[in-house]
Structures are given as structure tokens and as C-alpha cells.
CSV table of all heavy atoms in Angstrom, one decimal:
chain,number,residue,atom,x,y,z
A,1,THR,N,7.7,14.7,4.5
A,1,THR,CA,6.3,14.6,4.2
A,1,THR,C,5.9,13.3,3.5
A,1,THR,O,5.0,12.6,3.8
A,1,THR,CB,5.8,15.8,3.3
A,1,THR,OG1,6.2,17.1,4.0
A,1,THR,CG2,4.4,15.8,2.9
A,2,LEU,N,6.8,12.9,2.4
A,2,LEU,CA,6.6,11.7,1.7
A,2,LEU,C,6.7,10.5,2.8
A,2,LEU,O,5.8,9.7,2.7
A,2,LEU,CB,7.7,11.5,0.7
A,2,LEU,CG,7.6,10.2,0.0
A,2,LEU,CD1,6.3,10.1,-0.9
A,2,LEU,CD2,8.8,10.1,-1.0
A,3,SER,N,7.7,10.5,3.6
A,3,SER,CA,7.8,9.5,4.6
A,3,SER,C,6.5,9.3,5.5
A,3,SER,O,6.0,8.2,5.7
A,3,SER,CB,9.0,9.7,5.6
A,3,SER,OG,9.1,8.8,6.5
A,4,HIS,N,5.9,10.4,5.9
A,4,HIS,CA,4.7,10.4,6.7
A,4,HIS,C,3.5,9.8,5.8
A,4,HIS,O,2.8,8.9,6.3
A,4,HIS,CB,4.3,11.8,7.1
A,4,HIS,CG,3.0,12.0,7.6
A,4,HIS,ND1,2.6,11.7,8.8
A,4,HIS,CD2,1.8,12.5,6.9
A,4,HIS,CE1,1.2,11.8,8.9
A,4,HIS,NE2,0.8,12.4,7.8
A,5,HIS,N,3.4,10.1,4.6
A,5,HIS,CA,2.3,9.6,3.7
A,5,HIS,C,2.5,8.2,3.5
A,5,HIS,O,1.6,7.3,3.5
A,5,HIS,CB,2.2,10.4,2.5
A,5,HIS,CG,1.7,11.8,2.7
A,5,HIS,ND1,0.4,12.0,3.4
A,5,HIS,CD2,2.2,13.0,2.3
A,5,HIS,CE1,0.2,13.4,3.3
A,5,HIS,NE2,1.2,13.9,2.8
A,6,LEU,N,3.8,7.7,3.1
A,6,LEU,CA,4.1,6.3,2.9
A,6,LEU,C,3.7,5.5,4.1
A,6,LEU,O,3.2,4.4,4.0
A,6,LEU,CB,5.5,6.2,2.5
A,6,LEU,CG,5.8,6.7,1.0
A,6,LEU,CD1,7.4,6.8,0.9
A,6,LEU,CD2,5.1,6.0,-0.1
A,7,ASP,N,4.1,6.0,5.3
A,7,ASP,CA,3.8,5.3,6.5
A,7,ASP,C,2.4,5.1,6.7
A,7,ASP,O,1.9,4.0,7.1
A,7,ASP,CB,4.4,6.0,7.7
A,7,ASP,CG,4.5,5.2,9.0
A,7,ASP,OD1,4.8,4.0,8.9
A,7,ASP,OD2,4.1,5.7,10.1
A,8,LYS,N,1.5,6.1,6.5
A,8,LYS,CA,0.1,6.0,6.7
A,8,LYS,C,-0.5,5.0,5.8
A,8,LYS,O,-1.3,4.2,6.1
A,8,LYS,CB,-0.6,7.4,6.4
A,8,LYS,CG,-0.4,8.4,7.5
A,8,LYS,CD,-1.2,8.0,8.6
A,8,LYS,CE,-1.2,9.1,9.7
A,8,LYS,NZ,-2.0,8.9,10.8
A,9,LEU,N,0.0,5.0,4.4
A,9,LEU,CA,-0.5,4.0,3.5
A,9,LEU,C,-0.1,2.6,3.9
A,9,LEU,O,-0.9,1.6,3.6
A,9,LEU,CB,0.0,4.4,2.1
A,9,LEU,CG,-0.7,5.6,1.5
A,9,LEU,CD1,0.1,6.0,0.2
A,9,LEU,CD2,-2.1,5.4,1.2
A,10,ARG,N,1.1,2.4,4.4
A,10,ARG,CA,1.6,1.2,4.8
A,10,ARG,C,0.8,0.6,6.0
A,10,ARG,O,0.5,-0.6,6.1
A,10,ARG,CB,3.1,1.3,5.1
A,10,ARG,CG,3.8,-0.1,5.1
A,10,ARG,CD,5.3,0.0,5.3
A,10,ARG,NE,5.7,1.0,6.2
A,10,ARG,CZ,5.7,0.9,7.6
A,10,ARG,NH1,5.4,-0.3,8.1
A,10,ARG,NH2,6.2,1.9,8.4
A,11,GLN,N,0.5,1.5,7.0
A,11,GLN,CA,-0.3,1.1,8.2
A,11,GLN,C,-1.6,0.5,7.8
A,11,GLN,O,-2.1,-0.4,8.5
A,11,GLN,CB,-0.5,2.3,9.1
A,11,GLN,CG,0.7,2.7,9.8
A,11,GLN,CD,0.5,4.0,10.6
A,11,GLN,OE1,-0.6,4.5,10.8
A,11,GLN,NE2,1.6,4.5,11.2
A,12,VAL,N,-2.3,1.0,6.8
A,12,VAL,CA,-3.6,0.5,6.4
A,12,VAL,C,-3.5,-0.6,5.4
A,12,VAL,O,-4.5,-1.1,4.9
A,12,VAL,CB,-4.5,1.6,5.9
A,12,VAL,CG1,-4.8,2.6,7.1
A,12,VAL,CG2,-4.1,2.3,4.7
A,13,GLY,N,-2.3,-1.0,5.0
A,13,GLY,CA,-2.1,-2.1,4.1
A,13,GLY,C,-2.3,-1.9,2.6
A,13,GLY,O,-2.3,-2.8,1.8
A,14,VAL,N,-2.2,-0.6,2.2
A,14,VAL,CA,-2.4,-0.2,0.8
A,14,VAL,C,-1.1,-0.5,0.1
A,14,VAL,O,-1.0,-0.9,-1.1
A,14,VAL,CB,-2.9,1.2,0.6
A,14,VAL,CG1,-2.8,1.7,-0.8
A,14,VAL,CG2,-4.3,1.3,1.2
A,15,ILE,N,0.1,-0.2,0.7
A,15,ILE,CA,1.4,-0.4,0.2
A,15,ILE,C,2.2,-1.2,1.0
A,15,ILE,O,1.9,-1.4,2.2
A,15,ILE,CB,2.1,1.0,-0.2
A,15,ILE,CG1,2.4,1.7,1.1
A,15,ILE,CG2,1.2,1.8,-1.1
A,15,ILE,CD1,3.2,2.9,0.9
A,16,THR,N,3.3,-1.7,0.5
A,16,THR,CA,4.3,-2.5,1.2
A,16,THR,C,5.7,-1.8,0.9
A,16,THR,O,5.9,-1.1,-0.1
A,16,THR,CB,4.4,-4.0,0.8
A,16,THR,OG1,4.7,-4.0,-0.6
A,16,THR,CG2,3.2,-4.7,1.0
A,17,ALA,N,6.5,-2.0,1.9
A,17,ALA,CA,7.9,-1.5,1.7
A,17,ALA,C,8.9,-2.6,1.9
A,17,ALA,O,8.7,-3.5,2.7
A,17,ALA,CB,8.2,-0.5,2.8
A,18,GLU,N,9.8,-2.7,0.9
A,18,GLU,CA,10.9,-3.6,0.9
A,18,GLU,C,12.3,-3.1,0.8
A,18,GLU,O,12.5,-2.3,-0.2
A,18,GLU,CB,10.6,-4.7,-0.2
A,18,GLU,CG,11.4,-5.9,-0.1
A,18,GLU,CD,11.0,-6.9,-1.2
A,18,GLU,OE1,9.8,-7.1,-1.3
A,18,GLU,OE2,11.8,-7.5,-1.8
A,19,LYS,N,13.2,-3.3,1.6
A,19,LYS,CA,14.4,-2.7,1.6
A,19,LYS,C,15.3,-3.6,0.6
A,19,LYS,O,15.3,-4.8,0.6
A,19,LYS,CB,15.2,-2.8,3.0
A,19,LYS,CG,16.5,-2.0,3.1
A,19,LYS,CD,16.8,-1.7,4.4
A,19,LYS,CE,18.1,-1.1,4.6
A,19,LYS,NZ,18.2,0.3,4.2
A,20,ASP,N,16.0,-2.9,-0.2
A,20,ASP,CA,16.9,-3.5,-1.2
A,20,ASP,C,18.3,-2.7,-1.1
A,20,ASP,O,18.3,-1.6,-1.8
A,20,ASP,CB,16.4,-3.4,-2.7
A,20,ASP,CG,17.2,-4.0,-3.6
A,20,ASP,OD1,18.0,-4.9,-3.4
A,20,ASP,OD2,17.2,-3.6,-4.9
A,21,ARG,N,19.2,-3.3,-0.5
A,21,ARG,CA,20.5,-2.5,-0.2
A,21,ARG,C,20.1,-1.2,0.5
A,21,ARG,O,19.6,-1.2,1.6
A,21,ARG,CB,21.3,-2.4,-1.5
A,21,ARG,CG,21.8,-3.7,-2.0
A,21,ARG,CD,22.5,-3.6,-3.3
A,21,ARG,NE,21.5,-3.2,-4.2
A,21,ARG,CZ,21.5,-3.7,-5.6
A,21,ARG,NH1,22.4,-4.4,-5.9
A,21,ARG,NH2,20.6,-3.2,-6.4
A,22,GLN,N,20.5,-0.1,-0.1
A,22,GLN,CA,20.3,1.1,0.6
A,22,GLN,C,19.0,1.8,0.2
A,22,GLN,O,18.7,2.9,0.8
A,22,GLN,CB,21.5,2.2,0.3
A,22,GLN,CG,21.5,2.7,-1.1
A,22,GLN,CD,22.4,1.8,-2.0
A,22,GLN,OE1,22.6,0.7,-1.9
A,22,GLN,NE2,23.0,2.5,-3.0
A,23,TRP,N,18.2,1.2,-0.6
A,23,TRP,CA,16.9,1.8,-1.1
A,23,TRP,C,15.7,1.1,-0.4
A,23,TRP,O,15.8,-0.2,-0.3
A,23,TRP,CB,16.8,1.7,-2.6
A,23,TRP,CG,17.7,2.6,-3.3
A,23,TRP,CD1,17.8,4.0,-3.4
A,23,TRP,CD2,18.9,2.1,-4.0
A,23,TRP,NE1,18.9,4.3,-4.1
A,23,TRP,CE2,19.6,3.2,-4.6
A,23,TRP,CE3,19.4,0.8,-4.2
A,23,TRP,CZ2,20.7,3.1,-5.2
A,23,TRP,CZ3,20.7,0.8,-5.0
A,23,TRP,CH2,21.3,1.9,-5.4
A,24,ILE,N,14.6,1.7,-0.3
A,24,ILE,CA,13.4,1.1,0.1
A,24,ILE,C,12.4,1.3,-1.0
A,24,ILE,O,12.2,2.4,-1.5
A,24,ILE,CB,12.8,1.8,1.3
A,24,ILE,CG1,13.7,1.7,2.5
A,24,ILE,CG2,11.4,1.2,1.7
A,24,ILE,CD1,13.3,2.3,3.8
A,25,TRP,N,12.0,0.2,-1.5
A,25,TRP,CA,11.0,0.1,-2.7
A,25,TRP,C,9.6,0.0,-2.1
A,25,TRP,O,9.4,-0.8,-1.3
A,25,TRP,CB,11.4,-1.1,-3.6
A,25,TRP,CG,12.5,-0.9,-4.5
A,25,TRP,CD1,13.8,-0.9,-4.0
A,25,TRP,CD2,12.4,-0.6,-5.8
A,25,TRP,NE1,14.6,-0.6,-5.1
A,25,TRP,CE2,13.9,-0.5,-6.2
A,25,TRP,CE3,11.5,-0.5,-6.8
A,25,TRP,CZ2,14.1,-0.2,-7.6
A,25,TRP,CZ3,11.9,-0.3,-8.1
A,25,TRP,CH2,13.2,-0.1,-8.4
A,26,TYR,N,8.7,0.8,-2.7
A,26,TYR,CA,7.3,0.7,-2.2
A,26,TYR,C,6.5,0.2,-3.4
A,26,TYR,O,6.7,0.5,-4.7
A,26,TYR,CB,6.8,2.1,-1.9
A,26,TYR,CG,7.5,2.6,-0.6
A,26,TYR,CD1,8.8,3.3,-0.6
A,26,TYR,CD2,6.9,2.4,0.6
A,26,TYR,CE1,9.3,3.7,0.5
A,26,TYR,CE2,7.5,2.8,1.8
A,26,TYR,CZ,8.7,3.4,1.7
A,26,TYR,OH,9.2,3.8,2.9
A,27,SER,N,5.5,-0.7,-3.1
A,27,SER,CA,4.6,-1.1,-4.1
A,27,SER,C,3.2,-1.3,-3.5
A,27,SER,O,3.0,-1.3,-2.3
A,27,SER,CB,5.0,-2.5,-4.6
A,27,SER,OG,5.1,-3.4,-3.6
A,28,VAL,N,2.2,-1.2,-4.4
A,28,VAL,CA,0.8,-1.4,-4.0
A,28,VAL,C,0.4,-2.8,-3.8
A,28,VAL,O,0.9,-3.6,-4.4
A,28,VAL,CB,0.0,-0.8,-5.2
A,28,VAL,CG1,-1.6,-1.1,-5.0
A,28,VAL,CG2,0.1,0.6,-5.4
A,29,GLN,N,-0.4,-2.9,-2.7
A,29,GLN,CA,-1.0,-4.2,-2.4
A,29,GLN,C,-2.2,-4.3,-3.2
A,29,GLN,O,-3.3,-3.9,-2.7
A,29,GLN,CB,-1.3,-4.4,-0.9
A,29,GLN,CG,0.0,-4.5,-0.1
A,29,GLN,CD,0.4,-6.0,-0.2
A,29,GLN,OE1,1.0,-6.4,-1.2
A,29,GLN,NE2,0.2,-6.7,0.9
A,30,SER,N,-2.2,-4.9,-4.3
A,30,SER,CA,-3.4,-5.0,-5.2
A,30,SER,C,-4.6,-5.7,-4.5
A,30,SER,O,-5.7,-5.3,-4.8
A,30,SER,CB,-3.1,-5.5,-6.6
A,30,SER,OG,-2.5,-6.7,-6.5
A,31,GLU,N,-4.3,-6.6,-3.7
A,31,GLU,CA,-5.3,-7.4,-3.0
A,31,GLU,C,-6.2,-6.5,-2.1
A,31,GLU,O,-7.3,-6.6,-1.9
A,31,GLU,CB,-4.8,-8.6,-2.2
A,31,GLU,CG,-4.5,-9.8,-3.2
A,31,GLU,CD,-5.7,-10.2,-4.0
A,31,GLU,OE1,-6.8,-10.4,-3.4
A,31,GLU,OE2,-5.5,-10.3,-5.2
A,32,THR,N,-5.5,-5.5,-1.4
A,32,THR,CA,-6.1,-4.5,-0.7
A,32,THR,C,-7.0,-3.7,-1.3
A,32,THR,O,-8.3,-3.5,-1.0
A,32,THR,CB,-5.1,-3.7,0.2
A,32,THR,OG1,-4.3,-4.5,1.0
A,32,THR,CG2,-5.7,-2.6,1.1
A,33,LEU,N,-6.6,-3.2,-2.5
A,33,LEU,CA,-7.5,-2.3,-3.4
A,33,LEU,C,-8.7,-3.1,-3.9
A,33,LEU,O,-9.8,-2.6,-3.9
A,33,LEU,CB,-6.6,-1.7,-4.5
A,33,LEU,CG,-5.6,-0.7,-4.0
A,33,LEU,CD1,-4.8,-0.2,-5.2
A,33,LEU,CD2,-6.1,0.4,-3.2
A,34,LYS,N,-8.3,-4.4,-4.3
A,34,LYS,CA,-9.5,-5.2,-4.8
A,34,LYS,C,-10.5,-5.4,-3.6
A,34,LYS,O,-11.7,-5.4,-3.9
A,34,LYS,CB,-8.9,-6.5,-5.2
A,34,LYS,CG,-10.0,-7.5,-5.8
A,34,LYS,CD,-9.4,-8.8,-6.3
A,34,LYS,CE,-10.4,-9.8,-6.7
A,34,LYS,NZ,-11.6,-10.0,-5.9
A,35,SER,N,-10.0,-5.6,-2.4
A,35,SER,CA,-11.0,-5.8,-1.3
A,35,SER,C,-11.9,-4.6,-1.0
A,35,SER,O,-13.0,-4.8,-0.6
A,35,SER,CB,-10.3,-6.3,-0.1
A,35,SER,OG,-9.5,-5.2,0.5
A,36,LEU,N,-11.3,-3.4,-1.3
A,36,LEU,CA,-12.1,-2.2,-1.2
A,36,LEU,C,-13.3,-2.2,-2.2
A,36,LEU,O,-14.4,-1.8,-2.0
A,36,LEU,CB,-11.2,-1.0,-1.3
A,36,LEU,CG,-10.2,-0.7,-0.2
A,36,LEU,CD1,-9.3,0.5,-0.6
A,36,LEU,CD2,-10.9,-0.6,1.1
A,37,ILE,N,-12.8,-2.5,-3.4
A,37,ILE,CA,-13.8,-2.5,-4.5
A,37,ILE,C,-14.9,-3.6,-4.2
A,37,ILE,O,-16.1,-3.4,-4.4
A,37,ILE,CB,-13.2,-2.7,-5.8
A,37,ILE,CG1,-12.4,-1.5,-6.2
A,37,ILE,CG2,-14.2,-3.0,-7.0
A,37,ILE,CD1,-11.4,-1.6,-7.3
A,38,ASP,N,-14.4,-4.7,-3.8
A,38,ASP,CA,-15.4,-5.9,-3.5
A,38,ASP,C,-16.4,-5.4,-2.4
A,38,ASP,O,-17.5,-5.8,-2.4
A,38,ASP,CB,-14.6,-7.2,-3.0
A,38,ASP,CG,-13.9,-7.7,-4.2
A,38,ASP,OD1,-14.2,-7.4,-5.4
A,38,ASP,OD2,-13.0,-8.7,-3.9
A,39,PHE,N,-15.8,-4.7,-1.4
A,39,PHE,CA,-16.7,-4.2,-0.3
A,39,PHE,C,-17.8,-3.3,-0.9
A,39,PHE,O,-19.0,-3.4,-0.4
A,39,PHE,CB,-15.9,-3.6,0.8
A,39,PHE,CG,-16.7,-2.8,1.8
A,39,PHE,CD1,-17.2,-3.5,2.8
A,39,PHE,CD2,-17.0,-1.5,1.7
A,39,PHE,CE1,-18.0,-3.0,3.8
A,39,PHE,CE2,-17.8,-0.8,2.7
A,39,PHE,CZ,-18.4,-1.6,3.8
A,40,LEU,N,-17.4,-2.4,-1.7
A,40,LEU,CA,-18.4,-1.5,-2.3
A,40,LEU,C,-19.5,-2.2,-3.1
A,40,LEU,O,-20.6,-1.8,-3.0
A,40,LEU,CB,-17.7,-0.4,-3.1
A,40,LEU,CG,-16.8,0.5,-2.4
A,40,LEU,CD1,-16.1,1.5,-3.3
A,40,LEU,CD2,-17.6,1.4,-1.4
A,41,TYR,N,-19.0,-3.3,-3.8
A,41,TYR,CA,-20.1,-4.0,-4.6
A,41,TYR,C,-20.8,-5.1,-4.0
A,41,TYR,O,-21.5,-5.8,-4.5
A,41,TYR,CB,-19.3,-4.4,-5.9
A,41,TYR,CG,-19.1,-3.4,-7.0
A,41,TYR,CD1,-18.0,-2.7,-7.0
A,41,TYR,CD2,-20.2,-3.1,-7.8
A,41,TYR,CE1,-17.8,-1.8,-8.1
A,41,TYR,CE2,-20.0,-2.2,-8.8
A,41,TYR,CZ,-18.9,-1.4,-8.8
A,41,TYR,OH,-18.7,-0.5,-9.8
A,42,GLU,N,-20.4,-5.4,-2.7
A,42,GLU,CA,-20.9,-6.5,-2.0
A,42,GLU,C,-22.4,-6.7,-1.9
A,42,GLU,O,-23.0,-7.7,-2.1
A,42,GLU,CB,-20.4,-6.5,-0.5
A,42,GLU,CG,-20.6,-7.7,0.2
A,42,GLU,CD,-19.9,-7.7,1.5
A,42,GLU,OE1,-20.6,-7.2,2.5
A,42,GLU,OE2,-18.6,-8.1,1.7
A,43,GLU,N,-23.1,-5.6,-1.8
A,43,GLU,CA,-24.6,-5.6,-1.8
A,43,GLU,C,-25.2,-5.3,-3.1
A,43,GLU,O,-26.5,-5.1,-3.2
A,43,GLU,CB,-25.1,-4.6,-0.7
A,43,GLU,CG,-24.5,-4.9,0.6
A,43,GLU,CD,-25.0,-6.2,1.3
A,43,GLU,OE1,-26.2,-6.6,1.0
A,43,GLU,OE2,-24.2,-6.8,2.0
A,44,CYS,N,-24.4,-5.2,-4.1
A,44,CYS,CA,-25.0,-4.7,-5.4
A,44,CYS,C,-25.0,-5.8,-6.5
A,44,CYS,O,-24.2,-6.8,-6.3
A,44,CYS,CB,-24.1,-3.6,-5.9
A,44,CYS,SG,-24.4,-3.0,-7.5
């Protein structure tokens, strides 16, 4: 279930995945979140 949700978030660019030896680290793409907020405030 987690894998499915992580994949969906990665597909839309909200998170990135980086392999480090045997682990996969996930982190937020803050620029993507910022662009969402910018979009909402664009006309305001």
C-alpha cells in the first residue's frame, strides 16, 4: 500500500526517490508544493 502511494506522489512530482545502498529514501520536492501555492495565489 505504501509503495502504491509513494509511486503516485512520485508520478506527479511531489516527492523524489533516491536509492542509497539497500534503502530508498523519499523526500518532498518543495518546489512542486511552492508552485501549487503560487498557482492558487496567481490571480489574488
Side-chain angles (χ1 to χ4, degrees):
T1 302
L2 177 63
S3 179
H4 166 77
H5 289 305
L6 291 170
D7 190 48
K8 287 286 189 183
L9 291 169
R10 199 172 42 77
Q11 287 175 5
V12 295
V14 171
I15 65 171
T16 59
E18 189 172 316
K19 190 165 175 77
D20 179 28
R21 294 176 290 222
Q22 71 267 31
W23 295 285
I24 299 176
W25 283 73
Y26 292 89
S27 59
V28 170
Q29 285 284 73
S30 56
E31 284 302 312
T32 299
L33 296 179
K34 183 183 177 312
S35 70
L36 293 176
I37 293 168
D38 289 347
F39 172 79
L40 293 175
Y41 279 96
E42 194 171 88
E43 300 295 325
C44 170

